[in-house]
Structure formats: structure tokens, C-alpha cells
């Protein structure tokens, strides 16, 4: 099973899948277009969310970062008059330092991510979508913003008008992802309930990638991140409204169908969205997709696996 | 007064001078050839020692780093299996993050150092010797070692055979240093009791610098870091022995006289070294140069200032 994921929402389903599958049967491909440099560190927020979630160390109440985190470095940065709009926890900084040092020494993001996963005791494969740098640019009524500037510093307040992904046209799938695509071993693909515009599009838009996925001839299942007209977390619903789209799961289905025609074989909508499902021409199935407990995550994972015939 | 300094020993005299002089009358020029990159951070150990000492925050018992430091990031790095041979304290990391981020954004080391000094409430000028990167290479019986590899990782154990300073030939004095040299306002120069080979030579060997200092026509006073055949701190004495030099203050005097003929107008030796002083042809004066208390530092500073006619 190949899972494509952004941050929190995707990580929840990835955790469910990790608990339901043998480690060698799951690879999670993670969006890296949120990655950025901050105080000289190279930070990969979505990869870290996956690593922290899969290793059972994520701060679930907060929705980001590590459980039991401390903030001594951030406080010291504040005392030095430095920017602290992106919250750097002390243990999180260790992750960024290891990554930054190894990237500076010439290792690839794939290699560093594999090392971090190993060090954190994660048995499933966690793969960056690409080892080349891709950066989401948010087009907004306040001009173009780097993703984290929009997302964290400006708390998603600017009205978005569109997105582009700098470097995407030159990016290649990460070597281990390409190897999986070439292996004939991928039995199914799941597009996790992540933001279609800024988490999934950066992955699927890597040149050739979505057509390769479609060409596998295996079930490709997309789980809607929109439930009953709301995003469970993050700015997806706000973005849809600002882009002039209906804020509902049907618009997510149409987004994937229009941009990647023929890719998704089955759309999973929440049971709350039964009415929408019945009006769509795409093949949809209903399930409880709100993942609050580990049981919820495992149940959705089992549903997806069953749907995929795994 | 222009003070040339390495780390701990130089910082002690610089602190004494800072307490005796109006802030605008003192500029401390700091060796940056110890600077290195570690886990993606750009670290300037001697500059940080100056900043921490002048702001009253240095850990005097330990001889490096900050008082009351904590080690949460280092412990987390260890858990990730990362190198931790260079001890990164949590508050110290904030300094490195600010520096690394601003250098990556295109600021110069001079600009970043000035910001850090301001943020730490330091009124005297703290200047890197150069904004260009200069790196000490330690030639040893174990081959060539980067300075921190030799100094921290290998605890100065390899036998040294010499030193070179990569990038020195292309380096220029930091702009504020050059401006001071051009200003006609420098009334005296003091070479602090720092390691002649790896703290002072990197500074004085910047093309044109020592001749410019000599050309100022002002008193240039060098304080020996060797007292009674021992280095107060650091590997200076061990290095001298390995280089085949007598381990005494006279060898320090000869080192400066041979490499920078005519530069130093007065050598300050410890009272313990009266016998050596009487045998040297260079002009020497005696003083208690062991700086254990703040009073010791201020007393040596006053002695140097008096000698310089300041």
C-alpha cells in the first residue's frame, strides 16, 4: 500500500494503516512543498508530523510538534530579539539539526528521513515525495507568500487566489518511490484525507507521477478531508471558499477528477455526506472518516484496505 | 584601544578593559578561524566566548558556554543517534540559530555579531577579524584536522606539527576594523593573552593587517599567555613542546618578534617570569597576568592601559 500524505490528517490515516499492515507492506509518501528554512534550519513539517505520529510521540492536543515538548531555545531566541513566529520546540530542534547537518553534508532528504525514522523506531517506509526542493507559493490578496508565512506567520488570514509549486517542474519522485513504482509490488494507493491544494497537488504534480500511479492499474482510493462542509483541520475549507468552490466533499472529488482524470478509482466520503455522494457520477463509498481515536484510525484504515482488496 | 583576542584568556582581559574604559573607547577584534559548521549551524566559538563573557553570562567554572545552561536538545540529538561531541547547550543554540539564519539570509558575520552584542547588552564593539571565512587546519601526527576536530573531538591529543589557515590569503579585515585602522582614532593595540598559534596568528596573518597595525605608530602591547612555563588554559604549552619550542614566555616573545618584526612595542610577562624577561632583548614589563577574579582582570587592564598611555 502506497499512502500519499500531507501533515496531520494524512498522518492519522497513515498511523491506522501502520497498525493494520506489516511494516514492509506500507510506504508513506509525504508532501515536502511546505519545507522551508528558518534560522538556518531546514524544516520539513509534514515529514516531521508523520515521524512524530508514527512513533507515537506527537502532541495530539496541540495538533503539531511533540508531546511533552519544552521551549528553552525559543525563549532564548526571543531574548535575542529573533523571530519566533514558527514555534521551535527543544526536541523538535534536534530533528531539524540532524536533518540540516546531514543535508549540508550532501545526504539526500530521503536518506536523512530514513535515518530519522529508524532512530525513532518506525518500521514502515516514510519517503519524501522528492529529494529536489519544491516550495508552495500561496497567491493571495496580500501578494505571493511562502507557505509557512501564510500558514503559520499569517495564520491563513490572507485570501488565497491560487497556488504554485516552485521547483515542481524539475522535481523527480524520490528514488525509493520510483523504485516502488517500477517494482510492480504496489497493490493499492491511498490519497489520505489531506489538503488537496497544498498537500496532495504538490505530490501528484511531480512530472509524470500521477500518470505513473494511474498506470499501475491498482485501486487508487482518495479519502475526502472535507466532512459536512468543514475541514477537520487546517485551511482547506477556507481555501475552497476563497477559490470560489463549493465547500464540500463533492468539490474535492471534482478537483481530483478534473486534475488527474482517471486516477482515483474510488472516493471515500464521510457518512455525513451521503446526499452528496448520491449525486456524484464518480464511484464513491461512505465511511466514518473522522479520526479522533486510534480505533477510528484503524477502522478507516481497515475500510480502505478492504476497498483496495488488500 | 583595539584588543585582539581568541577565546577564554583574551575574553578575560577584554572584560577587564571593558570595565575600565568608556564603551566607545574599546573595540575587541576576535579570531574566527575556529568557526565551523556543526549540524548545519554556523558556530563562532571565540566570538561567543567574548559575547558571553562581556555580558556576564559565561560559565566560568566550566570555561566555556553559558552559566545555568541546559542540555535538552543535545540529549534529543543523542537519542536520534547524532554526533554530540561538540556540546550544544540550549541557550547557546539560540545564538547559533540566530547567526546561522542571518548568515544564510545574506548578512555578514560583522552585522550578526553586532546584533548579538546589542541583544546581550554589550556596549563595546565586538568585531570578527574578518567577514570572510578563515579556517584553522591543524597539521598533526594523525594528519590534517579541522580545528574543532582537534580541539574538542580529539581533546588536543594529536601531536601538532604546524598550522595553516584556509581562506586567510583571501580574507580582508572586517569593515569596522578597517574603518578603525583608517580613522586615526586607535590610540593603542593590545594582543590579549591568547594562543599565539591558533588565536592570534589567524588574526595577524590577514593580508596587510599586522603591517597596518604596526604602521599606526601607537603602542602595541602583547600579553603572554604562558606563565612560568604553563598555559593558563588550552593547548598552547603542549603545542609549543610539540613544535620544538621552549615552553616559556620568551618563546612567545620570539614568536611575535620573528613573525611580525617591529609590531609589538612592549611585551607583558608575568612577574613569575622575571628571570626570562631580563634575558630578552625585547622591551618587557612584568605584571601579575593570572586573571582569576574580576579585580585581577581590571588590574591587568589598568596596567596595560597605563603602559599604552591611555
Amino acid at each position: 500500500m502506497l499512502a500519499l500524505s500531507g501533515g496531520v490528517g494524512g498522518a492519522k490515516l497513515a498511523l491506522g494503516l501502520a497498525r493494520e499492515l506489516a511494516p514492509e507492506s506500507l510506504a508513506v509518501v509525504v508532501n515536502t512543498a511546505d519545507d522551508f528554512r528558518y534560522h538556518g534550519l531546514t524544516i520539513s513539517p509534514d515529514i516531521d508530523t508523520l515521524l512524530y505520529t508514527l512513533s507515537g510521540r506527537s502532541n495530539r492536543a496541540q495538533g503539531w510538534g511533540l508531546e511533552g515538548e519544552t521551549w528553552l531555545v525559543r525563549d532564548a531566541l526571543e531574548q535575542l530579539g529573533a523571530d519566533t513566529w514558527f514555534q521551535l520546540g527543544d526536541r523538535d530542534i534536534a530533528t531539524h539539526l540532524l536533518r540540516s547537518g546531514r543535508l549540508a553534508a550532501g545526504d539526500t532528504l530521503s536518506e536523512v528521513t530514513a535515518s530519522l525514522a529508524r532512530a525513532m523506531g518506525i518500521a514502515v517506509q516514510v519517503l519524501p515525495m522528492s529529494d529536489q526542493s519544491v516550495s508552495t507559493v500561496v497567491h493571495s490578496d496580500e501578494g505571493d507568500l511562502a507557505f509557512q508565512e501564510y500558514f503559520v506567520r499569517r495564520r491563513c488570514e490572507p485570501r488565497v487566489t491560487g497556488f504554485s509549486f516552485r521547483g515542481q517542474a524539475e522535481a523527480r519522485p524520490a528514488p525509493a518511490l520510483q523504485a516502488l513504482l517500477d517494482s510492480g509490488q504496489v497493490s493499492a494507493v491511498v490519497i489520505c484525507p489531506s489538503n488537496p491544494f497544498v498537500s496532495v497537488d504538490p505530490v501528484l504534480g511531480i512530472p509524470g507521477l500521477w500518470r505513473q500511479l494511474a498506470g499501475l492499474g491498482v485501486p487508487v482510493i482518495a479519502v475526502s478531508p472535507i466532512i459536512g462542509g468543514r475541514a477537520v483541520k487546517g485551511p482547506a475549507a477556507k481555501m475552497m471558499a476563497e477559490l470560489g468552490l463549493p465547500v464540500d466533499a463533492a468539490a474535492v472529488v471534482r478537483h481530483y477528477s478534473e486534475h488527474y482524470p482517471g486516477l482515483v478509482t474510488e472516493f471515500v466520503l464521510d457518512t455525513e455526506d451521503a446526499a452528496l455522494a448520491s449525486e456524484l457520477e464518480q464511484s464513491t463509498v461512505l465511511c466514518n472518516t473522522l479520526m479522533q481515536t486510534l480505533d477510528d484510525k484503524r477502522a478507516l484504515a481497515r475500510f480502505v484496505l478492504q476497498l483496495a482488496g488488500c
Side-chain angles (χ1 to χ4, degrees), chain A:
Chain A
M1 166 69 73
L2 197 62
L4 311 189
S5 176
V8 179
K12 285 180 180 176
L13 181 53
L15 177 61
L17 291 165
R19 294 296 174 96
E20 294 295 327
L21 286 168
E24 64 276 13
S25 304
L26 176 62
V28 187
V29 176
V30 189
N31 171 43
T32 57
D34 296 5
D35 292 15
F36 73 121
R37 290 182 64 88
Y38 187 64
H39 291 312
L41 298 170
T42 302
I43 301 182
S44 297
D46 285 355
I47 286 178
D48 291 344
T49 295
L50 260 293
L51 294 174
Y52 297 158
T53 301
L54 291 174
S55 61
R57 300 193 306 146
S58 62
N59 186 322
R60 270 164 289 181
Q62 192 173 255
W64 53 271
L66 285 157
E67 194 65 51
E69 187 57 287
T70 53
W71 307 94
L72 296 170
V73 176
R74 181 204 58 188
D75 294 347
L77 275 169
E78 228 160 53
Q79 277 171 18
L80 292 175
D83 271 344
T84 55
W85 58 265
F86 190 88
Q87 301 265 43
L88 292 171
D90 298 324
R91 287 160 192 81
D92 193 33
I93 285 173
T95 306
H96 307 321
L97 286 174
L98 187 145
R99 173 181 294 121
S100 305
R102 292 212 19 205
L103 289 175
D107 288 346
T108 65
L109 186 58
S110 291
E111 292 164 342
V112 178
T113 304
S115 293
L116 284 168
R118 235 185 342 264
M120 295 184 198
I122 298 168
V124 305
Q125 267 194 294
V126 179
L127 307 174
M129 64 188 201
S130 177
D131 282 339
Q132 286 78 48
S133 169
V134 178
S135 303
T136 296
V137 180
V138 179
H139 307 299
S140 82
D141 60 351
E142 300 185 11
D144 287 355
L145 296 168
F147 182 75
Q148 297 297 339
E149 291 272 341
Y150 162 78
F151 187 64
V152 178
R153 190 173 207 168
R154 297 286 294 110
R155 298 159 193 268
C156 307
E157 283 167 13
R159 289 181 64 84
V160 306
T161 55
F163 308 95
S164 54
F165 308 105
R166 202 172 35 225
Q168 194 188 46
E170 292 78 48
R172 298 180 300 281
L177 169 56
Q178 190 56 58
L180 277 171
L181 294 171
D182 296 339
S183 71
Q185 301 296 309
V186 176
S187 58
V189 177
V190 58
I191 299 174
C192 289
S194 295
N195 187 308
F197 313 103
V198 293
S199 295
V200 180
D201 283 353
V203 183
L204 292 178
I206 292 174
L209 183 56
W210 79 263
R211 286 184 198 278
Q212 285 193 73
L213 290 169
L216 294 175
V218 302
V220 177
I221 296 156
V223 182
S224 169
I226 301 288
I227 300 176
R230 300 177 310 279
V232 178
K233 193 171 183 309
K238 180 172 183 286
M239 286 174 173
M240 293 172 84
E242 291 166 359
L243 294 171
L245 299 170
V247 184
D248 60 27
V252 173
V253 171
R254 279 192 298 269
H255 177 83
Y256 288 137
S257 301
E258 284 166 18
H259 287 77
Y260 316 106
L263 171 64
V264 178
T265 57
E266 199 82 58
F267 289 92
V268 179
L269 273 51
D270 193 81
T271 46
E272 206 179 303
D273 292 316
L276 286 171
S278 65
E279 286 173 19
L280 284 161
E281 63 193 25
Q282 289 88 350
S283 178
T284 58
V285 286
L286 300 175
C287 182
N288 171 37
T289 63
L290 188 65
M291 294 174 281
Q292 292 176 310
T293 66
L294 180 59
D295 279 347
D296 293 341
K297 298 176 182 77
R298 297 184 70 155
L300 182 56
R302 279 195 303 272
F303 183 85
V304 166
L305 289 168
Q306 202 163 29
L307 206 57
C310 296

